[in-house]
Amino acid sequence: MNPSVTSRSLTGPGEGRSSTSLWRHRDFRRYLTGQTASVAGSSISSMAIPVLAVLELNATPGQVAWLAFWGQLPPALLALHAGALADRHSKRRQMIIGDLVSATALATVPVAAALEELTLVQLMVVAVVQGAAGVLHDAAAISLLPTLVDRSLIQRGNSRIGGLFAIAATGGSSLGAALTAWLGPARALLGDVGSYLLSAWCTTHIQARETTPARPTQRRLRTEIAEGLRYVRDDHRLSVLTWVNATTSLALAALNTLWALYLLRVLEMSATAFGVVLGIGALGAAAGALSAPAVARRFGPGPMMLGALALTPLTQVPLLLASPGLGWEIVIGGALFLQLACAGAAGTTQRSIRQIITEDSMQARMQAVSTWLTSGARPLGALLSGGFGTWAGVRPALIAGSCLLVVPLVVLARSPLRALRQMPAPPPSPDTAERRPAATGPVVPAPGPAPAAEGSMDGGMP
């Protein structure tokens, strides 16, 4: 089996490779349908579980915080292991297992509620199990895309994915609110259970063959994890984009921790207005993701990402200057639209660059390093924001979080990536690599070269 052929298959059986429309590729449609359903279902749970904990189980603020903590813990602890497993074994099988485990764990909640046996401890256990299964699924799902479409279509694919995910998240939240009001919060979770089953079904029907590189059976998982860390560290482009992700996640976690409290309590925004503002923001994320390929072609991926990161701190200014009133609510909604549009455009572009330049055998581990750092940054950002907000007040804490948004801008601005004018070229195919002289030492896929000058960041493309 030739990995250079199977891992870059554009189409499902019977479809011509000459087609450049992603919607005509059956495997991509199945992948996108399953992942979109999963995002919508997760939004149902994000709406229903807090209502269930607070209104049905009378959880205290401390217990709600612990519930959130246990749900966020697995990504920080297991992301590197999940990435190594996805590079070692079948990514589709890992996705299906993750979906089925999540569905089973979540289904116990409405069952226990129907039997009047549901407790907060069970919710916390379900949060841990679901979080761990989600890490396994996501590590494989993100790295599966480059095996489904040609590298030249990855940016377009990520654009479609980002746009639909934003819309699905908004629709899932609205559906979750409707199901919670109609069925109650516990039974509303059956909607998320169904989304996991649909995701597993779609993944099962993806027909593109995967290539799993042969590795010595005696190799330890931690050895492969270390290879992934070194691979990201040694490739200048991967390391810069990974640190941009991590520092952005830290800043946004600090802001999001107090954002709802600030809008609802300090600015006296109604729950309805708050929901409308969030919906406007989700539309911005979709618009940014869908427009990313065209904007990147017009200005270049590097300047586009730099511009998006520069605009993001400025979008916080209306929030910090606002006072109660409809006029300020409209301004805040517009600022959130712009902020999430920048995030959607920059996010899909940087992910596409990382997927394009990474070898197939390192895709999941490369993604896992980013997930590990961003997941670890979120609780740290929340802790810093909560502590500073308690000591200095909510508005000063939001000002500090806005200042943190300058850090990823500085990281990218100091890198030659800022001048990247075209999407980079993919790494050499296995056939090309076979013609090179054999290297000595451990067999680790070679990362992309650290550029000596700005012009080399285009990956050698004319």
Side-chain angles (χ1 to χ4, degrees):
M1 182 167 57
N2 187 347
S4 65
V5 175
T6 59
S7 66
R8 289 171 174 75
S9 174
L10 282 171
T11 65
E15 296 172 288
R17 187 180 174 85
S18 61
S19 170
T20 58
S21 173
L22 288 170
W23 305 121
R24 296 179 61 183
H25 304 323
R26 287 197 295 267
D27 283 341
F28 180 77
R29 293 200 306 268
R30 290 163 180 158
Y31 173 87
L32 188 58
T33 300
Q35 300 312 299
T36 303
S38 183
V39 169
S42 296
S43 296
I44 294 175
S45 289
S46 297
M47 171 66 67
I49 287 180
V51 174
L52 180 61
V54 173
L55 299 183
E56 301 289 335
L57 300 178
N58 300 313
T60 65
Q63 289 171 326
V64 171
W66 274 109
L67 181 60
F69 170 79
W70 287 116
Q72 294 175 356
L73 186 62
L77 296 181
L78 302 177
L80 293 176
H81 298 79
L85 288 172
D87 277 336
R88 177 185 285 189
H89 304 294
S90 167
K91 294 177 175 60
R92 282 178 292 169
R93 185 184 305 118
Q94 185 164 315
M95 291 167 62
I96 293 168
I97 291 173
D99 282 332
L100 295 180
V101 170
S102 292
T104 302
L106 198 60
T108 65
V109 175
V111 172
L115 298 175
E116 299 184 352
E117 298 291 338
L118 182 63
T119 64
L120 279 169
V121 172
Q122 180 179 345
L123 278 186
M124 293 178 186
V125 172
V126 169
V128 172
V129 174
Q130 193 176 5
V135 173
L136 288 173
H137 174 278
D138 292 346
I142 295 174
S143 57
L144 181 65
L145 180 63
T147 73
L148 300 181
V149 302
D150 188 80
R151 303 268 173 145
S152 64
L153 297 177
I154 282 181
Q155 186 184 25
R156 195 186 307 175
N158 278 322
S159 171
R160 307 294 192 274
I161 291 169
L164 284 179
F165 278 14
I167 296 171
T170 303
S173 297
S174 300
L175 179 59
L179 291 175
T180 298
W182 181 35
L183 301 175
R187 284 181 288 182
L189 295 176
L190 293 174
D192 196 7
V193 173
S195 77
Y196 282 121
L197 297 178
L198 177 58
S199 176
W201 184 89
C202 290
T203 304
T204 301
H205 287 77
I206 292 176
Q207 298 177 358
R209 291 175 293 175
E210 294 183 64
T211 57
T212 303
R215 294 187 176 90
T217 55
Q218 68 271 19
R219 297 189 73 193
R220 296 183 177 181
L221 198 63
R222 66 183 182 185
T223 301
E224 299 184 7
I225 291 174
E227 287 179 359
L229 290 167
R230 288 196 301 271
Y231 188 83
V232 172
R233 180 200 64 189
D234 294 341
D235 189 307
H236 176 81
R237 299 163 295 182
L238 292 177
S239 61
V240 166
L241 293 177
T242 299
W243 281 113
V244 166
N245 281 348
T247 52
T248 301
S249 181
L250 176 69
L252 291 180
L255 289 168
N256 292 340
T257 298
L258 298 175
W259 196 63
L261 176 66
Y262 181 73
L263 293 182
L264 295 172
R265 184 171 297 173
V266 178
L267 299 186
E268 302 175 1
M269 188 177 289
S270 67
T272 300
F274 182 65
V276 171
V277 167
L278 292 182
I280 292 173
L283 293 177
L290 292 173
S291 64
V295 177
R297 284 193 301 270
R298 175 66 177 83
F299 299 101
M304 185 269 276
M305 291 189 294
L306 194 66
L309 291 175
L311 282 174
T312 300
L314 299 179
T315 61
Q316 303 302 307
V317 174
L319 176 69
L320 301 174
L321 298 178
S323 57
L326 177 61
W328 277 112
E329 290 174 358
I330 295 173
V331 172
I332 290 173
L336 182 62
F337 180 95
L338 180 59
Q339 175 191 332
L340 293 185
C342 290
T348 57
T349 301
Q350 62 83 15
R351 175 179 289 183
S352 299
I353 293 173
R354 290 188 293 120
Q355 290 175 329
I356 289 171
I357 66 177
T358 300
E359 297 189 5
D360 291 337
S361 61
M362 300 297 295
Q363 282 284 343
R365 280 174 285 177
M366 177 276 295
Q367 299 286 354
V369 173
S370 179
T371 301
W372 174 58
L373 288 174
T374 54
S375 298
R378 291 188 191 109
L380 176 60
L383 181 64
L384 292 175
S385 179
F388 191 74
T390 301
W391 174 64
V394 175
R395 194 185 296 264
L398 291 174
I399 294 174
S402 300
C403 293
L404 284 176
L405 284 172
V406 179
V407 176
L409 172 64
V410 173
V411 172
L412 183 61
R414 291 175 59 85
S415 163
L417 271 175
R418 68 183 182 273
L420 181 63
R421 293 291 179 178
Q422 300 181 54
M423 296 299 286
S429 67
D431 292 337
T432 303
E434 288 174 1
R435 292 193 292 267
R436 296 178 178 175
T440 59
V443 180
V444 181
E454 292 178 6
S456 65
M457 288 312 299
D458 58 5
M461 295 176 63

